[in-house]
Amino acid sequence: MSYEHLTPMQIDALREVGNIGAGNAATALSQLLNKKIDMSVPSINVVPFDEIFSGIGGEEIVFGVLVRVLGDTPGNILFVFQKETAINIIESLTGVKEESISEMGNSVISELGNIISASYMNAIAKFANLTIIPSVPAVTYDMLGAILSTTFIESGQFDEYVLDIETVFLQDNSEISGHFYYVPMPGSLEKILNSLGVM
């Protein structure tokens, strides 16, 4: 299906699924960091591929944790945050302040992405009655634009329009973990919408 033809009801259904998934992820993040974590209402964006980087600081260097989603609705989950956020998270979990991310720090970031993406996908799987399995996470440190473009292309989303389900996590009114994207492969969206009865 072409993303630009999604109906308002379908977009609302996707937002609700995203809300449940992100709520689970925020709870997991709160438990992991032992701090209260809030989240923004998920934003469902259908945008031209060429415009995906406008307004997001595509040249900013960030950490990305990419998790491939397997099962009924294959795709990718991408969890993006700034280096300073990564250093703060590593310090809060290990008690060590790192100026540059060590192998241990990289493992912490990988596990963080693993826990959040798994909690997100488990919530969607339960809500939509689908089998969804997250893969082992991969950590990357690159320009945001490069990470996003690779994620969309790997998901088979190189059509004219792409689907971006985005959530921002907040701690004390400051973004602590940047952005969270679920990028379904072609065909996965139809399965999710079918299972929700809004196809």
Side-chain angles (χ1 to χ4, degrees), residues 116-131:
I116 290 176
S117 56
S119 61
Y120 187 95
M121 294 317 300
N122 287 343
I124 291 177
K126 191 173 178 183
F127 186 70
N129 197 27
L130 295 165
T131 300

Side-chain angles (χ1 to χ4, degrees), residues 29-62:
L29 193 57
S30 293
Q31 291 169 346
L32 186 66
L33 299 176
N34 199 25
K35 291 177 180 173
K36 186 176 186 303
I37 304 295
D38 294 314
M39 62 173 204
S40 66
V41 174
S43 169
I44 309 296
N45 305 306
V46 178
V47 291
F49 189 85
D50 291 343
E51 291 179 18
I52 192 66
F53 311 120
S54 63
I56 58 165
E59 294 185 1
E60 180 187 4
I61 303 292
V62 296

Side-chain angles (χ1 to χ4, degrees), residues 5-176:
H5 296 137
L6 285 173
T7 66
M9 183 182 285
Q10 288 172 330
I11 288 175
D12 281 346
L14 288 173
R15 185 175 292 113
E16 183 55 29
V17 168
N19 213 20
I20 291 166
N24 253 35
T27 300
L29 193 57
S30 293
Q31 291 169 346
L32 186 66
L33 299 176
N34 199 25
K35 291 177 180 173
K36 186 176 186 303
I37 304 295
D38 294 314
M39 62 173 204
S40 66
V41 174
S43 169
I44 309 296
N45 305 306
V46 178
V47 291
F49 189 85
D50 291 343
E51 291 179 18
I52 192 66
F53 311 120
S54 63
I56 58 165
E59 294 185 1
E60 180 187 4
I61 303 292
V62 296
F63 273 92
V65 182
L66 180 68
V67 177
R68 287 180 178 82
V69 178
L70 312 169
D72 291 338
T73 57
N76 283 321
I77 282 179
L78 179 64
F79 186 39
V80 176
F81 44 91
Q82 295 172 334
K83 181 179 179 181
E84 185 182 343
T85 300
I87 287 170
N88 290 340
I89 289 171
I90 292 164
E91 184 181 10
S92 70
L93 291 175
T94 66
V96 178
K97 177 92 172 172
E98 298 186 347
E99 289 307 315
S100 59
I101 308 297
S102 66
E103 194 173 322
M104 176 65 161
N106 212 57
S107 296
V108 168
I109 296 302
S110 177
E111 186 55 28
L112 181 75
N114 195 30
I115 290 168
I116 290 176
S117 56
S119 61
Y120 187 95
M121 294 317 300
N122 287 343
I124 291 177
K126 191 173 178 183
F127 186 70
N129 197 27
L130 295 165
T131 300
I132 303 174
I133 307 149
S135 74
V136 175
V139 179
T140 183
Y141 184 58
D142 204 342
M143 288 190 297
L144 178 56
I147 294 172
L148 278 172
S149 62
T150 301
T151 303
F152 280 112
I153 290 168
E154 279 195 357
S155 296
Q157 284 206 36
F158 33 71
D159 294 334
E160 198 173 335
Y161 289 84
V162 296
L163 177 75
D164 161 24
I165 302 175
E166 178 188 343
T167 305
V168 179
F169 294 117
L170 305 161
Q171 179 197 332
D172 300 329
N173 295 319
S174 64
E175 292 186 16
I176 74 134

Side-chain angles (χ1 to χ4, degrees), residues 161-198:
Y161 289 84
V162 296
L163 177 75
D164 161 24
I165 302 175
E166 178 188 343
T167 305
V168 179
F169 294 117
L170 305 161
Q171 179 197 332
D172 300 329
N173 295 319
S174 64
E175 292 186 16
I176 74 134
S177 52
H179 301 278
F180 187 80
Y181 300 90
Y182 172 48
V183 189
M185 283 185 177
S188 294
L189 188 62
E190 288 87 337
K191 287 182 184 176
I192 291 172
L193 292 171
N194 257 325
S195 70
L196 298 175
V198 291

